[in-house]
Amino acid sequence: MIPIVSIVGKSDSGKTTLLEKIVKELRKRGRRVATIKHDAHSFEIDHEGKDSWRHKKAGANITIISSPSKMAMVLDTDHDHTLSELRDEFIRKVDLIITEGYKREGHPKIEVFRRELKRELLCEEDDNLVAIAGDPANPPDGVPVFDLNRPEPLCDFIEARFIKSAKQGLGE
Amino acid sequence: MIPIVSIVGKSDSGKTTLLEKIVKELRKRGRRVATIKHDAHSFEIDHEGKDSWRHKKAGANITIISSPSKMAMVLDTDHDHTLSELRDEFIRKVDLIITEGYKREGHPKIEVFRRELKRELLCEEDDNLVAIAGDPANPPDGVPVFDLNRPEPLCDFIEARFIKSAKQGLGE
């Protein structure tokens, strides 16, 4: 079963930026990574006027664009998928799934926290909070805190805790 | 097994326009349809700067955006998928798959042909040519010809020939 870790935090706390850093670092380490972003609304993807855009617009329930190196699929759904559903139905051949958001689901969470925003931890009381990236004044007992700007130690933690068959040691 | 029909034809013959008409008509009839478009190059999808775009750009092998009504997935692949692979790996719960292009594969084909372009049929010699949409001067024996601008009779043909459990009769 592919492990899932969620990057959570208030709006504009820097979730996407941290996720980018983690993905880049894990890919550098030879890991294969899937990411999931929730969108509450009917997002737009693809470019107006392109053939694939016209297919979907005409009413196709599923539209796929396939090339030798990349594939994209847009499909209608009849409900908001849980992370486990997305994993089981759509995701193959990766070592880890990182989500942006999904704080209400029961998967392990890393909270992005910046004191300058003067806010309390979102997941203070959440048993699934496994780490904090940022500078909390009073982190909960037993929850490690990592530097927002240095993804390496956080990725060591993620590899050790979530990716079983680590291909390399965890450094100093 | 979900049936596959390919709309083929020279560039600019009107493949996308015909596909749109067929999809609209089949959806009107209550059919669920998937479409597939091949892209020889590394196509662009998603909008620069969006979170999901940033995820993929950072190196994610798979990126998903999920909403209550729509889902999109972009993924790296290590080879050019055949239509059967795309069907078996990614497509569920539709009555028919319509592809734009894929003339080299061995699935049933409908060729778009317009005499004003003064070109010969692409699939004259192809045993998988099941119909022509347009105005060929000398269509091959046994291959029915349909009006490019009237999708209804062509959709009657597609339903009768490819969609097993037709929900309705085939018209007059």
Side-chain angles (χ1 to χ4, degrees), chain B residues 85-96:
Chain B
E85 286 175 325
L86 293 172
R87 170 181 60 197
D88 298 346
E89 286 181 40
F90 299 105
I91 299 180
R92 305 279 179 276
K93 298 180 194 164
V94 299
D95 300 303
L96 180 71

Side-chain angles (χ1 to χ4, degrees), chain B residues 24-80:
Chain B
K24 278 181 194 161
E25 178 63 25
L26 289 175
R27 290 302 317 272
K28 205 192 291 176
R29 298 180 186 194
R31 301 300 186 180
R32 293 180 52 87
V33 179
T35 63
I36 301 176
K37 161 96 188 176
H38 190 262
D39 193 303
H41 312 289
S42 188
F43 60 85
E44 274 307 311
I45 194 167
D46 211 349
H47 298 279
E48 188 167 339
K50 273 188 53 187
D51 292 346
S52 48
W53 180 89
R54 290 171 60 186
H55 291 193
K56 191 76 195 65
K57 192 83 174 174
N61 301 84
I62 301 175
T63 291
I64 286 176
I65 319 170
S66 178
S67 84
S69 62
K70 198 158 74 165
M71 225 200 75
M73 176 162 75
V74 184
L75 64 156
D76 298 336
T77 64
D78 56 7
H79 69 289
D80 210 355

Side-chain angles (χ1 to χ4, degrees), chain A residues 16-17 19-21 23-24 27 31-48 50-52 54-81 86 89-94 98-100 102, chain B residues 16-17 19-21 23-24 27 31-48 50-52 54-81 86 89-94 98-100 102:
Chain A
T16 311
T17 302
L19 184 145
E20 287 175 309
K21 287 178 182 164
V23 169
K24 279 180 193 164
R27 290 301 316 271
R31 301 301 186 179
R32 293 180 53 88
V33 180
T35 64
I36 300 176
K37 161 95 188 177
H38 189 262
D39 192 304
H41 312 288
S42 187
F43 60 85
E44 274 306 312
I45 194 168
D46 211 347
H47 298 280
E48 188 167 340
K50 272 188 53 187
D51 292 346
S52 48
R54 289 171 61 187
H55 291 192
K56 190 79 196 64
K57 191 82 174 175
N61 301 84
I62 301 175
T63 292
I64 287 177
I65 319 170
S66 178
S67 84
S69 62
K70 199 158 73 166
M71 224 201 75
M73 176 163 76
V74 183
L75 63 158
D76 298 336
T77 65
D78 55 6
H79 70 290
D80 211 355
H81 285 66
L86 293 172
E89 286 181 41
F90 299 104
I91 299 180
R92 304 280 178 278
K93 299 180 194 165
V94 299
I98 307 176
T99 83
E100 181 172 337
Y102 285 94
Chain B
T16 310
T17 302
L19 184 145
E20 287 175 311
K21 287 177 182 163
V23 168
K24 278 181 194 161
R27 290 302 317 272
R31 301 300 186 180
R32 293 180 52 87
V33 179
T35 63
I36 301 176
K37 161 96 188 176
H38 190 262
D39 193 303
H41 312 289
S42 188
F43 60 85
E44 274 307 311
I45 194 167
D46 211 349
H47 298 279
E48 188 167 339
K50 273 188 53 187
D51 292 346
S52 48
R54 290 171 60 186
H55 291 193
K56 191 76 195 65
K57 192 83 174 174
N61 301 84
I62 301 175
T63 291
I64 286 176
I65 319 170
S66 178
S67 84
S69 62
K70 198 158 74 165
M71 225 200 75
M73 176 162 75
V74 184
L75 64 156
D76 298 336
T77 64
D78 56 7
H79 69 289
D80 210 355
H81 285 65
L86 293 172
E89 286 181 40
F90 299 105
I91 299 180
R92 305 279 179 276
K93 298 180 194 164
V94 299
I98 307 176
T99 82
E100 182 173 337
Y102 285 94

Side-chain angles (χ1 to χ4, degrees), chain B residues 80-147:
Chain B
D80 210 355
H81 285 65
T82 63
L83 291 175
S84 302
E85 286 175 325
L86 293 172
R87 170 181 60 197
D88 298 346
E89 286 181 40
F90 299 105
I91 299 180
R92 305 279 179 276
K93 298 180 194 164
V94 299
D95 300 303
L96 180 71
I97 297 168
I98 307 176
T99 82
E100 182 173 337
Y102 285 94
K103 65 173 180 285
R104 287 188 201 87
E105 288 211 25
H107 298 280
K109 286 162 202 157
I110 296 170
E111 177 163 347
V112 178
F113 182 87
R114 292 190 291 136
R115 204 184 299 178
E116 59 180 324
L117 299 177
K118 291 183 205 307
R119 288 162 169 168
E120 301 197 344
L121 280 168
L122 262 187
C123 297
E124 179 91 44
E125 306 292 327
D126 189 330
D127 289 344
N128 295 300
L129 182 66
V130 297
I132 296 167
D135 54 2
N138 297 297
D141 283 352
V143 177
V145 176
F146 295 91
D147 187 332

